[in-house]
Amino acid sequence: MNAPAGFADILIEDRGAVRIIRFNRAGKKNAITRAMYTAMAQGLETAETDKAIRVVVIAGTDGVFTAGNDLMDFMEAPPTIGGGDMPPVERFMRALLGATKPVIACVDGLAIGIGVTLLLHCDLAYASDRSTFKTPFVDLALVPEFGSSAVLPGIVGRVVASELLLLGETWDASRAEAKSLVNGVFPAGDLEAEVMKRAEALAAKAPNAVKKSKALMTKGVESVYTLMAEEGAEFAAQLASEEFKEAVTAFLERRPPDFSRFG
């Protein structure tokens, strides 16, 4: 086992042919900062060029996958997806979308925002029985991200996707499994071992056959890049809106937002 490397809030560990990229900011519920996106992107990018690595696992800490973007860090430098200089979040998105090697998500506990939408671009996803899933974009006066406005309805159907993307409902692990957001659910104490068992089995298979099979299944990825840019433009517009200002103010004041004056 290699010693962990990378930024303090992201640990990168190689166990044989499996690379584990782990959120490591439990005190902040693994809320993701720009530095963390950069570290995760680097972990994925270097896995692509390392012949010894055949599978990547994205995991969190005990009971927390990620609470999504760190709101204060996010507001310091609001990202413009598909614009000039590539923000760290887009670099991570592109690294995950462009990964030629299998990526497996290992979700234990809280998964919010991008903690849910990144699952749509993994090849396999597994959760603990205490996991919960929520995409509160509309609640924050924002719009979906990372191609989720098309990819999620393609997986679960538009009506069901609206539970997450419009209503902002919280799904438990059993509903996530029933609607194919995750492949399987395990007791929290068994989750990582079960994920590693599958990662190691995948890593033992013919690497070129695995990569070519993945490429055939993800041929539509270019359309997702286009959609990401469209979503990003709408996201940026909402970040500059009075609706978003009210949502953030309400969040900081620990009260429900009042959108009654908008429309």
Side-chain angles (χ1 to χ4, degrees):
M1 181 186 303
N2 293 341
F7 293 80
D9 294 330
I10 295 291
L11 299 181
I12 298 176
E13 175 189 354
D14 294 342
R15 297 186 193 175
V18 179
R19 169 161 294 178
I20 302 173
I21 299 176
R22 188 183 302 278
F23 299 113
N24 187 46
R25 198 184 180 214
K28 295 292 185 179
K29 297 183 179 179
N30 292 334
I32 309 172
T33 63
R34 285 165 286 166
M36 291 167 71
Y37 277 123
T38 297
M40 290 190 294
Q42 288 179 354
L44 288 165
E45 290 162 356
T46 55
E48 283 291 299
T49 58
D50 188 339
K51 291 184 177 180
I53 301 301
R54 295 193 175 185
V55 178
V56 174
V57 171
I58 299 177
T61 47
D62 186 38
V64 182
F65 186 57
T66 174
N69 291 312
D70 182 297
L71 191 59
M72 302 310 294
D73 181 89
F74 192 74
M75 290 172 63
E76 284 180 8
T80 300
I81 307 300
D85 293 336
M86 186 181 297
V89 62
E90 183 177 0
R91 181 180 171 189
F92 165 70
M93 289 176 177
R94 288 182 173 272
L96 181 54
L97 274 173
T100 63
K101 299 174 182 181
V103 180
I104 305 175
C106 178
V107 181
D108 179 24
L110 195 67
I112 296 179
I114 198 164
V116 176
T117 56
L118 74 82
L119 306 180
L120 306 176
H121 305 290
C122 292
D123 300 286
L124 295 163
Y126 299 94
S128 71
D129 52 9
R130 63 183 175 182
S131 295
T132 56
F133 304 82
K134 183 178 178 66
T135 54
F137 303 119
V138 171
D139 294 346
L140 291 170
L142 297 173
V143 299
E145 62 184 0
F146 208 173
S148 59
S149 58
V151 179
L152 184 60
I155 294 172
V156 305
R158 178 178 167 182
V159 173
V160 175
S162 295
E163 294 178 9
L164 289 177
L165 297 183
L166 294 183
L167 286 174
E169 290 184 354
T170 299
W171 283 6
D172 61 15
S174 61
R175 183 150 182 80
E177 182 181 25
K179 295 303 176 183
S180 301
L181 185 62
V182 298
N183 295 86
V185 175
F186 300 100
D190 299 335
L191 174 65
E192 193 156 322
E194 292 289 347
V195 169
M196 287 302 297
K197 184 189 304 181
R198 288 157 176 77
E200 289 163 357
L202 197 51
K205 297 182 184 295
N208 288 320
V210 170
K211 286 194 288 187
K212 288 178 180 179
S213 296
K214 173 172 177 170
L216 289 168
M217 290 191 289
T218 56
K219 269 190 168 293
V221 71
E222 287 305 319
S223 64
V224 179
Y225 285 127
T226 302
L227 178 60
M228 272 174 47
E230 293 174 0
E231 288 174 337
E234 297 292 352
F235 202 100
Q238 282 301 117
L239 283 175
S241 72
E242 290 299 314
E243 287 183 346
F244 179 67
K245 186 182 297 183
E246 165 60 15
V248 172
T249 301
F251 176 81
L252 295 175
E253 294 177 354
R254 300 182 183 275
R255 63 170 173 81
D258 179 7
F259 298 122
S260 61
R261 69 182 187 276
F262 304 110

